[in-house]
Amino acid sequence: MDNVLTRNNTEPVVSVGPVVLAVPGRAVALQLRISFPLAGGDLPIILLSHGQGRSNNLSSMNGYGPLVQAWAAQGFVVIQPTHLSSRTLQLDPATPGAPLFWRSRAEDMRLILDQLGTIEAAVPALAGRLDPSRVAVAGHSMGGHTAGLLLGAQLLDEEGAQVSLAEPRIRAGVLLAAPGDGGGSLSAYATENLAFFRHPSFAEMTTPALVVVGDHDVSTHLTTRGAAWHADPYYLSAGSKSLLTIVGGEHGLGGISGYDAAETTDEHPARVALVAQLTGAYLRTALDPDDGSWPLASQALQAHVPSLGYIESK
């Protein structure tokens, strides 16, 4: 396989956490993990929103090591919040917004951007090294829903009001195994219990994004349409988009949420490496059009390992 897809992540990186931001009105303070390369300046930023898996710690700032390590080694500063939905917080189920806190998740990301100066002050090794003009968001599963809202997707809330949480400071995104359309696409469970899933609109999601799906990600607890449901954010959105389909990939896309995670149903290290390298390449080019990483990685995938995945764009 071409080294653009399998390059070893040997660049030394630093991970600092928890970095704690006091947030008036939030049920608890916002805890962050910040990961970044030892060297370099003008570093682009990825805000990473965790999913809502069965384990306790993967759905927090402590998860997604395979992606975070790779992205930081590729020159990104990765900022991971622990959303209020994380089991690590053990919040009262009666807390407003529980259990998934869909609105608070997006607000966490906005607050991080508002507080980049505070974050730099808390992590002196980052001082003067961030490039706030190059910010991306990425999210897995429920985190993909969060990322979609920040990229412009809209929904009807529990009271039937149209909600837009688009964040103009975010210039690109990656949606990993994210939710798709509502209505008849939803399972009975999702229709009854997840009202914010019922009426999404991707038409307003115009910010450039890469949608990553596994062709075996059936997610029967959420949808009746099988793996195709997760590609809706690509097909139903406007603007520049790409779709990466991982052959054989299930909801964990080979294990992106953690090393040797018990909840991964399709453990496949090469699949994880592919997702990490291609998503990093996409974001480097999306944030800097003069960077040719994405077309090179796309060509390498087609030429050397088409059995692992394929890409289409619009």
Side-chain angles (χ1 to χ4, degrees), residues 15 51 76 103 115 117 122 133 170 177 188 223 281 303 307-308:
S15 185
F76 291 97
R103 188 189 296 267
Q115 297 294 324
S133 72
I170 294 174
T223 183
S307 61
L308 282 181

Side-chain angles (χ1 to χ4, degrees), residues 19 115-127:
V19 173
Q115 297 294 324
L116 286 179
T118 302
I119 292 168
E120 281 194 75
V123 186
L126 265 184

